[in-house]
Amino acid sequence: MTATPTPLSDVSPTTLADLLGREQVMDFGVRTLWPTPPRVAGPAFTVRCAPGDQLMLHAAIYRAAPGSVVVVEGGGTEYAVAGGNVCAVAQRRGVAAFVVDGVVRDLAEIRASGFPVFARGVVPKPGTRKAVSPLGGEVRCGGVTVRAGDLVVADEEGVVVVPADRQDELLRAARRKESAEAAQSLDAWETDHYARVQQALAAQGHTD
């Protein structure tokens, strides 16, 4: 299965962060686990794992639609919620990426497969598979509230969550912003930047 591209697949998380504000940007602890991953963008398939347990993430890989970004409230950082085989099966079934507020294991296998995983780190010990909870509910991941269907955009810059009801609005705004930035030379940017810095200093009473 192949992940289905979304309209925001080619928009940088930095552009979206400028437009959305800090509350939609995951904290820096949820980050890429291998260098220069491809940018991923897809609708969130949300999962909540109980502390020390990984069952619901393992169940989710068989239920998430191709192109989904599986977003996991991982229940802590003492036990891994996924490893190489789980990531490989998710990748084979068309899941675009995992974004995990928690830890995983088998990093070498994940890196070799090229499957994008954004998480807090790596721990070699897996959790149990006993605790059942609903899939598709509201979760907290990286300090952001994520609902099923929200658009998740992630790369080496970080992870941004676009609320489902603002996707079209944000796409139009992002296109305008990136077009304006592309049309501006570095000389013009520097001139404008200098003027804005001086204005900000003057507003604070700095006269040097």
Side-chain angles (χ1 to χ4, degrees):
M1 296 183 184
T2 302
T4 304
T6 74
L8 282 172
S9 297
D10 60 346
V11 177
S12 170
T14 58
T15 298
L16 294 171
D18 287 346
L19 295 169
L20 281 164
R22 183 65 183 85
E23 66 276 6
Q24 296 302 124
V25 179
M26 292 192 188
D27 70 61
F28 76 96
V30 179
R31 62 193 184 280
T32 177
L33 293 187
W34 48 273
T36 60
R39 180 174 300 144
V40 296
F45 186 92
T46 53
V47 179
R48 179 179 291 109
C49 290
D53 198 273
Q54 57 180 338
L55 176 59
M56 295 318 298
L57 175 53
H58 290 220
I61 66 174
Y62 299 104
R63 291 160 174 79
S68 299
V69 175
V70 175
V71 178
V72 186
E73 185 176 323
T77 57
E78 294 187 14
Y79 296 93
V81 295
N85 285 342
V86 168
C87 291
V89 171
Q91 185 179 37
R92 186 165 63 182
R93 295 181 66 85
V95 171
F98 284 173
V99 175
V100 182
D101 198 329
V103 292
V104 300
R105 70 176 193 163
D106 301 330
L107 179 57
E109 294 178 31
I110 296 169
R111 184 171 55 235
S113 74
F115 182 63
V117 175
F118 301 81
R120 292 199 179 275
V122 180
V123 166
K125 179 65 176 173
T128 59
R129 290 195 293 271
K130 297 179 179 179
V132 175
S133 60
L135 295 169
E138 183 177 290
V139 300
R140 288 286 289 178
C141 186
V144 178
T145 297
V146 186
R147 299 170 180 86
D150 287 348
L151 190 71
V152 180
V153 182
D155 63 15
E156 61 187 349
E157 297 286 350
V159 185
V160 176
V161 180
V162 179
D165 60 359
R166 297 189 63 193
Q167 289 183 32
D168 292 342
E169 166 203 341
L170 265 295
L171 177 60
R172 291 192 296 270
R175 294 282 186 246
R176 290 193 298 269
K177 187 177 192 310
E178 292 190 337
S179 177
E181 289 174 349
Q184 187 179 43
S185 69
L186 181 59
D187 286 344
W189 185 91
E190 181 181 7
T191 298
D192 180 62
H193 181 251
Y194 176 79
R196 286 186 284 111
V197 169
Q198 294 304 109
Q199 183 179 23
L201 289 171
Q204 299 302 318
H206 185 83
T207 58
D208 185 10

